[in-house]
Amino acid sequence: MMISLHIVCDRCKQVVKDAGKECGGCTAGYYEVQHGSWRKYANAGEVYVCDACMHIDPRYKNDYPL
């Protein structure tokens, strides 16, 4: 089951439209970077990073080149 959330990106401060979270932990439209495997891409104090900001992050791009 997917729930709809109101998420604001900690980098660009934009609202992530149609943000979602599956009960199993998967996210849609954003990354939770405070805990878990995405933490290595977080800047100090960040909790949520939208897809657009994550995809231009040099650390992310190094690990996930297009």
Side-chain angles (χ1 to χ4, degrees):
M1 175 180 181
M2 181 70 82
I3 58 173
S4 183
L5 302 171
H6 178 85
I7 299 295
V8 176
C9 177
D10 289 321
R11 292 191 188 171
C12 69
K13 308 303 183 205
Q14 297 295 310
V15 173
V16 178
K17 297 193 186 306
D18 300 322
K21 184 167 185 171
E22 190 176 285
C23 292
C26 295
T27 61
Y30 69 99
Y31 294 79
E32 291 180 346
V33 296
Q34 188 175 29
H35 304 290
S37 60
W38 299 117
R39 190 159 111 187
K40 73 184 214 174
Y41 305 110
N43 296 324
E46 291 180 335
V47 177
Y48 303 117
V49 176
C50 71
D51 284 350
C53 286
M54 183 64 85
H55 295 167
I56 62 171
D57 185 291
R59 298 166 291 189
Y60 181 91
K61 288 172 67 172
N62 185 60
D63 291 345
Y64 300 96
L66 294 177

